[in-house]
Amino acid sequence: MTKEEKMVVIDSLAEQLRTYPHFYFADIEALNAEQTAALRRKCFESDVKLVVVKNTLLSKALEKVEKADADLVKVLEGPTSVLFTHVAKTPAVLIRDFRKKSDKPVLKAAFAEGCVYVGDDKLDALCNIKSKEELIADIIALLQSPAKNVISALQANAGQKIAGLVKTLETRNN
C-alpha cells in the first residue's frame, strides 16, 4: 500500500470517527465466511457499519480526530474490526446476540456515550447503557411523579367534596 493510499484510508476512518459518536473494536478473526456474512447482515439491519482495518491506520485516524485514548490504542493488537454506530448500545446487543451461536466476535474496547470501555467483560454494561435521551425521559418521569400524585389526591378529595355537597343539598331539600 502506497503512502497516498494509506492517507486515503486514514482520512476515511477519521471521517467515520467524526460522523459516528460511538464505536466498538472487536475481534472477528475466527468467523468463517458464512458467519461473517451473517454478522455483516445483522450490522446492516441494525444500522451499524462494520469495517475491518489495519491497527496502525486506525491508530493514526484516532490521533487525527483526537480520540487516541491510551486504553483504546493499547487494544489495537491482532485483527481488529470497527463497528460504527449512532446508538451506543446497539453493537453490544448485536455482539451478545451473535455470540449465542459462536464464540466470536470478542469485544476489545468501545467508545460509547463519551466513555471508554476496555475488555470483553464490559459487554453487559454496554448492553444496559442508556442514551442521553433515555436518561432525560427517566428524569422527566421521576419529576412528574410527585406532581401526578398531588393532582390525583386533589381530584380524589374533590370527588368526595362533591359527593358531600350533593348529600347536604339532598338532606336540605327533604
Side-chain angles (χ1 to χ4, degrees):
M1 191 180 264
T2 67
K3 189 171 184 174
E4 291 78 23
E5 291 172 329
K6 289 179 181 177
M7 286 307 296
V8 168
V9 172
I10 291 169
D11 290 340
S12 171
L13 285 170
E15 183 59 34
Q16 291 175 24
L17 287 167
R18 282 188 204 100
T19 303
Y20 293 92
H22 317 287
F23 55 89
Y24 287 57
F25 299 155
D27 176 6
I28 64 169
E29 180 185 29
L31 297 178
N32 61 31
E34 182 182 327
Q35 291 170 320
T36 303
L39 178 62
R40 287 185 180 277
R41 193 174 319 105
K42 285 199 176 288
C43 286
F44 179 76
E45 291 167 358
S46 302
D47 196 28
V48 173
K49 185 172 186 175
L50 175 66
V51 180
V52 178
V53 296
K54 287 190 162 282
N55 292 328
T56 52
L57 300 178
L58 179 57
S59 177
K60 290 180 182 187
L62 285 167
E63 288 173 12
K64 190 171 186 171
V65 295
E66 299 175 356
K67 290 186 179 177
D69 184 272
D71 292 329
L72 283 176
V73 175
K74 221 184 322 182
V75 301
L76 296 179
E77 295 177 4
T80 304
S81 299
V82 185
L83 293 98
F84 296 102
T85 183
H86 290 288
V87 180
K89 70 179 179 180
T90 303
V93 173
L94 190 140
I95 290 170
R96 183 187 63 196
D97 292 347
F98 198 82
R99 287 204 342 214
K100 291 176 182 174
K101 298 176 186 172
S102 172
D103 292 341
K104 298 275 181 158
V106 173
L107 178 68
K108 291 181 164 188
F111 182 83
E113 296 295 341
C115 297
V116 175
Y117 298 84
V118 177
D120 195 55
D121 59 325
K122 302 291 189 279
L123 191 61
D124 288 333
L126 287 162
C127 287
N128 296 323
I129 198 169
K130 289 190 176 191
S131 70
K132 181 180 172 182
E133 292 77 17
E134 289 173 322
L135 289 173
I136 290 171
D138 287 350
I139 290 170
I140 289 171
L142 288 171
L143 291 173
Q144 286 180 339
S145 181
K148 286 181 182 176
N149 290 341
V150 169
I151 291 170
S152 66
L154 289 174
Q155 288 175 339
N157 287 340
Q160 291 173 353
K161 286 180 183 177
I162 292 172
L165 285 172
V166 168
K167 204 172 209 179
T168 304
L169 290 173
E170 184 181 318
T171 54
R172 218 188 253 176
N173 290 336
N174 289 337

